Amino acid sequence: MDLPKKELLKFCWPSDYSISNLENGTIFCQHYSAYNDPFEFWSNIYEGIPDAEKEPERFAAALAAWGMSGTSPDDEDLIAYFDECQNYQPPFKEMRNEVRIACFGSQRENLLMWSHYADGLRGFCIVFDEDAVVKSEPEAYLLDVEYTDAPPTVDSLVYAIAHDQEGYHQVAIEETETRIKHLGKADEKEWIPIYEKAGAAAVAKMREIWQYVFAVKPSEWSYERERRLLVPTRYCDKEPIMRSFSTDAIKEIILGERMNDDFREKLLAVLNKNYPGVPIRTAHRAHNLYTINIC
């Protein structure tokens, strides 16, 4: 059975601050240390060339990323390659400190999200257009949070090797296609799927590491089904930023059925002025089940 497409949802408390952000077309993005999860970005990050005897698992992972499992640690080509790749290691710790994060939900009928982040159906939910939010300047990245029982391990050297291998195999594909086209080397066509498979494996490894660096939380938070927007900055402090979005970035607004009349009036005034034509729906409690209906 196909799973429903994840949405990009901002559950909002019924406050003047929420209305102000909606009116100004801004999303609050903050440093990871400001979030309430004490294990935010809690992972082990390793850097540098692993010692084959003292760090056999890291060494094996680096060899696997290179596609040369079983190679002796004394191999001259290996020593030279690892030495080169360590110069390309991404500074994940610095990147974490500079990035600013905005958190979103993905399920509009999520009872706990309405309860914890929208004041028990007294607030509202903004349904965003994913592409419009991500591609606003500066361009950001969107990740679905993964939930685990233990902190992940991140290896910067493995990422650097995977990045190099992805580039290497892409060049190999292009060069092979050129030889086939201009030199008649039709017999080399069989290599292209091999290069494609290796390149795809390298990309998958990079995505896995990127996930572990920026979007893993303890399993206890899994009810949120969180998606997070990562906004790169050059800030060395921990100050939050406000990220702007265009008026066409909002697809729908969902009001909680328990919303106060005065707040509803303020909210509708902003919507009519700034977002005319955007569909407005209401989240209701079902009568016979503990579930949320939206209509």
Side-chain angles (χ1 to χ4, degrees):
M1 182 177 66
D2 293 335
L3 294 175
K5 187 181 187 303
K6 290 184 177 179
E7 296 186 290
L8 191 65
L9 310 172
K10 194 67 176 176
F11 290 88
C12 303
W13 206 258
S15 65
D16 289 340
Y17 177 75
S18 295
I19 286 185
S20 175
N21 285 345
L22 181 63
E23 187 171 22
N24 295 325
T26 54
I27 298 172
F28 181 69
C29 307
Q30 60 184 347
H31 189 270
Y32 74 88
S33 63
Y35 283 99
N36 56 357
D37 178 10
F39 288 103
E40 195 69 68
F41 283 4
W42 190 261
S43 60
N44 303 305
I45 298 181
Y46 294 100
E47 300 174 339
I49 300 174
D51 185 298
E53 293 185 4
K54 296 179 180 179
E55 303 172 287
E57 292 184 359
R58 279 196 67 211
F59 184 76
L63 287 180
W66 187 26
M68 298 290 285
S69 295
T71 303
S72 168
D74 298 321
D75 184 272
E76 292 184 0
D77 290 337
L78 178 147
I79 294 172
Y81 182 64
F82 280 12
D83 189 56
E84 178 186 356
C85 285
Q86 73 171 335
N87 296 320
Y88 310 144
Q89 294 177 108
F92 283 131
K93 293 178 181 178
E94 290 83 354
M95 292 167 67
R96 278 178 166 179
N97 196 51
E98 293 176 352
V99 76
R100 295 297 181 267
I101 307 168
C103 299
F104 298 83
S106 59
Q107 298 173 321
R108 60 173 63 196
E109 296 90 359
N110 191 314
L111 172 59
L112 292 177
M113 294 298 285
W114 277 104
S115 299
H116 296 168
Y117 295 99
D119 197 18
L121 288 175
R122 297 179 186 88
F124 60 101
C125 176
I126 305 172
V127 183
F128 280 106
D129 181 289
E130 181 176 318
D131 290 337
V133 171
V134 170
K135 293 178 181 178
S136 295
E137 292 294 333
E139 190 166 355
Y141 307 92
L142 189 66
L143 291 176
D144 295 339
V145 170
E146 182 177 328
Y147 301 94
T148 65
D149 293 326
T153 295
V154 174
D155 197 314
S156 297
L157 180 67
V158 170
Y159 187 96
I161 293 172
H163 186 271
D164 179 76
Q165 287 298 303
E166 192 276 331
Y168 170 83
H169 287 97
Q170 183 58 45
V171 170
I173 291 171
E174 293 171 358
E175 291 179 345
T176 301
E177 290 176 339
T178 298
R179 287 195 296 272
I180 293 171
K181 181 177 180 179
H182 297 289
L183 300 179
K185 301 286 187 177
D187 58 317
E188 295 188 14
K189 188 175 182 179
E190 65 185 35
W191 284 99
I192 292 179
I194 298 174
Y195 295 144
E196 289 176 338
K197 183 178 180 180
V203 170
K205 175 56 68 174
M206 286 190 289
R207 287 176 175 168
E208 176 189 277
I209 294 174
W210 193 263
Q211 178 83 34
Y212 288 166
V213 172
F214 294 106
V216 171
K217 296 184 71 171
S219 298
E220 284 79 0
W221 293 93
S222 62
Y223 76 89
E224 293 185 336
R225 300 292 186 266
E226 181 188 334
R227 310 185 75 192
R228 58 176 46 172
L229 187 74
L230 305 174
V231 184
T233 76
R234 292 297 182 186
Y235 299 145
C236 297
D237 55 25
K238 297 181 180 181
E239 292 299 308
I241 65 171
M242 302 302 291
R243 179 177 173 81
S244 299
F245 60 84
S246 59
T247 55
D248 61 357
I250 294 183
K251 297 168 62 178
E252 294 178 45
I253 297 288
I254 305 172
L255 312 183
E257 69 165 335
R258 302 174 70 197
M259 184 179 291
N260 175 279
D261 289 340
D262 290 340
F263 184 80
R264 182 187 299 269
E265 185 176 343
K266 290 181 183 179
L267 179 58
L268 291 177
V270 170
L271 294 176
N272 290 332
K273 177 182 177 182
N274 294 44
Y275 307 96
V278 170
I280 300 174
R281 310 190 193 284
T282 303
H284 300 271
R285 290 163 289 181
H287 291 293
N288 301 319
L289 294 170
Y290 289 132
T291 189
I292 301 294
N293 292 328
I294 296 174
C295 57

